């Protein structure tokens, strides 16, 4: 019996999960997405090509790997169809090749979920979450409110009736907002996409994944978003609506906690956040702008500028604890190539105290980061392909992080391409 390895983000998302899942996928028989939905944008680059995946697991480009969209994911059929159509145009057809399966118990995002998301954000004005407007929150609300529609429902004879019943509820809620909308076009696209997703095999993800383990096959669970966006432990209410942590892999696929193997925690050599909410190490100055430009920090899903700041060790320690991280993966080291000095937040000053953990309230009382200065390496690392060629000062930075975080850094990423990845130790 094998175990499920997990790869997830330790910051506020966009750490580079897609790239590393793609790099690791040849070692796995199954890649399984366990939560979130098309709010995710996972970027993969190889052979001079670039792909952004929203719902599809990032193992899709590996010939021998199966891919599962798990029960914890919320699926927008229109977006999933578009993703698959675009892949097909680029010469990849995972459906025809039988490389993609979907959990029957995954919930469906309806066009009215998106409208509710937009109406709610519009009403919140300057206090808005900064949602990706993909209908994520309202869909998970219907799931926990026991009103939702699931992939498996699409094959039931009364699917349309169930759909209409839920949409009536949504229209009733929308009538309380000052919000104009036109549903007809989206609805037509939705039903066309539903017919399409019926052609993708539906499975019970709990039996499917455990079946792989029983056969001794290797499974990697792919997270979306990041730990600091977790519904329970993130910077609430500026979070997403699912559990982005290792626990979410158990509920989002149907695997027991004792089936979890390695937990790969992925982080950027600095930190970013997109959307609203607290960000203690944010740099609202030309240094932050420099990180944004050099790191191309613009959202893969929405194109929004990402907020940038220095690495935050109290936040990383918290994420490591919550997830049981066994190995770290450091991304985008190359973005810091030009800096004379970089900084790491080791503590916060909060309410007159120096602390090394994330306090409950970081919204009304913003923690002030205590920063440690670290020498930059001032070397182009994008072509480094041997551990021996890693500049000494970058190696020192990694050693410093390992000492602080008490977890080894297993991989180092020095550019967006698949090949710009080094295995350390
Ligand atoms: P994900 O959501 O965690 O999969 O990450 P995103 O794809 O949203 O954002 C990561 C961005 O950084 C993408 O544009 C990647 O192509 C890019 N990227 C990944 N690793 C590296 C790296 O090591 N260096 C640089 N410069 N870019 C990287
Ligand atoms: P990946 O998987 C970064 C953010 C949004 C917003 C908040 C809630 O690419 O790392 P939602 O649409 O979920 O209701 O938005 O969460 N957010 C992300 N930020 N990367 C993501 O995914 C994100 N998915 C959601 O910007 O602040
Ligand atoms: Mg992303």
């Amino acid at each position: 019996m094998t175990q499920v390895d997990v790869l997830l983000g330790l910051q506020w998302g966009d750490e580079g999960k897609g790239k590393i899942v793609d790099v690791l996928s040849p070692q796995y028989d199954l890649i399984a997405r366990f939560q979130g939905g098309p709010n995710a944008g996972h970027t993969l680059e190889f052979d001079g090509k670039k792909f952004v995946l929203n719902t599809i697991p990032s193992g899709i480009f590996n010939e021998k790997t199966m891919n599962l969209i798990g029960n914890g994911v919320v699926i927008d059929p229109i977006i999933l169809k578009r993703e698959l159509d675009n892949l097909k145009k680029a010469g990849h057809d995972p459906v025809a090749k039988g490389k993609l399966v979907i959990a029957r118990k995954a919930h469906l995002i309806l066009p009215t979920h998106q409208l509710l998301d937009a109406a709610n954000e519009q009403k919140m004005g300057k206090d808005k979450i900064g949602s990706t407007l993909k209908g994520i929150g309202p869909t998970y609300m219907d799931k926990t409110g026991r009103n939702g529609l699931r992939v498996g429902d699409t094959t039931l004879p009364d699917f349309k009736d169930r759909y209409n019943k839920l949409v009536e509820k949504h229209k009733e809620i929308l009538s309380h907002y000052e919000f104009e909308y036109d549903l007809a076009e989206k609805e037509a696209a939705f039903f066309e996409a539903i017919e399409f997703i019926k052609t993708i095999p539906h499975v019970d993800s709990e039996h499917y994944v455990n079946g792989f383990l029983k056969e001794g096959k290797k499974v990697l669970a792919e997270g979306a978003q990041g730990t600091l966006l977790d519904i329970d432990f993130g910077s609430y209410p500026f979070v997403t609506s699912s559990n982005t942590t290792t626990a979410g892999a158990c509920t989002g696929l149907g695997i027991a906690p004792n089936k979890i193997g390695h937990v790969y925690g992925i982080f950027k050599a600095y930190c970013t956040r997109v959307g609203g909410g607290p960000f203690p190490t944010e740099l609202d100055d030309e240094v932050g702008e420099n990180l944004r430009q050099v790191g191309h920090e613009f959202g893969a899903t929405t194109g929004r500028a990402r907020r940038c700041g220095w690495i935050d060790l109290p936040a990383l320690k918290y994420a490591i604890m919550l997830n049981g991280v066994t190995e770290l993966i450091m991304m985008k080291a190359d973005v810091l190539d030009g800096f004379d000095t970089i900084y790491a937040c080791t503590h916060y000053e909060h309410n007159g105290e120096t602390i090394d953990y994330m306090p409950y309230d970081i919204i009304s009382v913003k923690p002030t980061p205590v920063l440690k200065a670290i020498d930059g390496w001032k070397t182009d690392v994008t072509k480094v392909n041997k551990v021996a060629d890693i500049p000494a000062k970058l190696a020192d930075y990694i050693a410093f992080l390992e000492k602080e975080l008490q977890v080894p850094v297993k991989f180092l990423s020095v550019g967006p391409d698949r090949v710009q990845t080094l295995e350390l130790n």
Side-chain angles (χ1 to χ4, degrees):
M1 178 89 86
T2 44
Q3 290 185 307
V4 176
D5 294 342
V6 183
L7 184 142
L8 43 71
L10 298 181
Q11 296 163 323
W12 276 286
D14 302 327
E15 296 89 349
K17 298 174 290 290
K19 169 183 163 164
I20 297 296
V21 171
D22 171 61
V23 167
L24 296 180
S25 63
Q27 301 174 27
Y28 289 93
D29 299 294
L30 173 67
I31 306 293
R33 261 285 297 272
F34 60 88
Q35 47 67 233
N39 47 350
H42 295 177
T43 315
L44 287 71
E45 289 193 35
F46 53 88
D47 303 339
K49 285 175 286 190
K50 176 172 165 172
F51 296 93
V52 177
L53 301 173
N54 304 114
T55 328
I56 301 171
S58 303
I60 210 75
F61 296 105
N62 188 265
E63 282 306 316
K64 76 167 193 49
T65 313
M66 276 304 295
N67 293 272
L68 163 70
I69 301 174
N71 58 278
V73 177
V74 289
I75 297 176
D76 182 330
I78 301 173
I79 295 180
L80 178 55
K81 180 173 183 299
R82 194 193 308 143
E83 278 185 80
L84 286 162
D85 287 346
N86 287 342
L87 282 182
K88 199 170 169 181
K89 276 187 214 136
H92 300 273
D93 193 347
V95 178
K97 286 190 177 160
K99 285 176 48 187
L100 180 69
V101 295
I102 324 180
R104 282 193 184 88
K105 295 188 177 79
H107 278 247
L108 292 171
I109 302 176
L110 273 47
T112 40
H113 283 130
Q114 276 185 18
L115 295 174
L116 287 165
D117 209 356
N120 196 43
E121 286 280 85
Q122 181 182 293
K123 186 159 184 215
M124 303 248 282
K126 67 171 182 34
D127 296 326
K128 68 179 181 187
I129 304 293
S131 148
T132 59
L133 303 179
K134 303 293 177 195
I136 305 296
T139 306
Y140 279 112
M141 277 166 73
D142 271 337
K143 175 178 177 174
T144 51
R146 297 162 295 182
N147 291 312
L149 289 178
R150 303 190 287 179
V151 167
D153 297 338
T154 60
T155 59
L156 300 176
D158 63 346
F159 176 66
K160 191 81 198 264
D161 295 338
R162 290 171 188 237
Y163 170 87
N164 286 332
K165 207 170 140 201
L166 186 52
V167 167
E168 279 317 306
K169 263 191 192 163
H170 292 164
K171 284 184 177 164
E172 158 65 22
I173 303 170
L174 284 165
S175 73
H176 298 282
Y177 290 91
E178 278 177 40
F179 185 77
E180 303 262 317
Y181 62 90
D182 175 15
L183 193 55
E185 202 179 310
K186 273 268 183 188
E187 219 162 37
F190 177 80
F191 282 103
E192 192 194 328
I194 287 288
E195 287 311 308
F196 174 72
I197 68 163
K198 281 190 197 166
T199 67
I200 305 171
H202 299 175
V203 301
D204 294 314
S205 49
E206 60 280 34
H207 294 301
Y208 191 80
V209 176
N210 282 289
F212 269 71
L213 302 182
K214 266 193 204 129
E215 287 174 26
K217 292 183 174 164
K218 293 196 70 190
V219 180
L220 179 67
E222 173 179 2
Q225 290 77 56
T227 301
L228 304 177
L229 288 170
D230 180 270
I231 181 72
D232 281 283
F233 300 107
S235 45
Y236 194 88
F238 297 95
V239 293
T240 191
S241 299
S242 60
N243 283 116
T244 57
T245 43
T246 303
C250 293
T251 56
L253 295 174
I255 45 170
N258 64 356
K259 298 277 164 56
I260 299 291
H262 292 264
V263 179
Y264 296 105
I266 180 164
F267 67 98
K268 283 179 192 172
Y270 50 100
C271 198
T272 65
R273 163 161 215 171
V274 61
F279 181 1
T281 62
E282 181 167 15
L283 292 163
D284 207 3
D285 57 12
E286 71 279 7
V287 182
E289 185 56 34
N290 190 8
L291 284 171
R292 181 156 42 248
Q293 294 305 330
V294 180
H296 303 291
E297 294 295 357
F298 297 90
T301 301
T302 58
R304 290 178 292 174
R306 295 179 184 145
R307 300 155 63 191
C308 297
W310 296 121
I311 200 164
D312 183 334
L313 299 180
L316 276 178
K317 285 178 190 167
Y318 184 57
I320 288 167
M321 175 187 81
L322 289 168
N323 291 303
V325 172
T326 56
E327 281 101 354
L328 291 165
I329 301 176
M330 184 163 107
M331 308 300 290
K332 303 192 88 158
D334 55 295
V335 175
L336 301 180
D337 281 354
F339 285 82
D340 292 323
T341 308
I342 59 173
Y343 292 88
C345 165
T346 56
H347 296 80
Y348 304 130
E349 299 283 359
H350 191 251
N351 285 330
E353 280 182 82
T354 304
I355 54 174
D356 70 348
Y357 60 89
M358 269 216 149
Y360 176 76
D361 180 14
I362 59 171
I363 295 175
S364 61
V365 189
K366 186 181 177 285
T368 307
V370 178
L371 298 174
K372 178 182 162 63
I374 293 163
D375 284 347
W377 41 95
K378 302 286 285 175
T379 312
D380 175 1
V381 296
T382 55
K383 290 179 190 65
V384 169
N385 56 13
K386 290 201 292 289
V387 174
D389 293 343
I390 295 174
K393 291 209 160 122
L394 173 53
D396 289 347
Y397 182 47
I398 296 170
F400 163 73
L401 294 176
E402 288 182 323
K403 187 157 175 274
E404 286 282 321
L405 302 171
Q406 291 290 299
V407 183
V409 177
K410 173 94 175 149
F411 293 97
L412 173 69
S413 176
V414 293
D417 195 280
R418 223 183 229 175
V419 298
Q420 292 172 297
T421 316
L422 289 109
E423 186 165 358
L424 311 178
N425 309 309

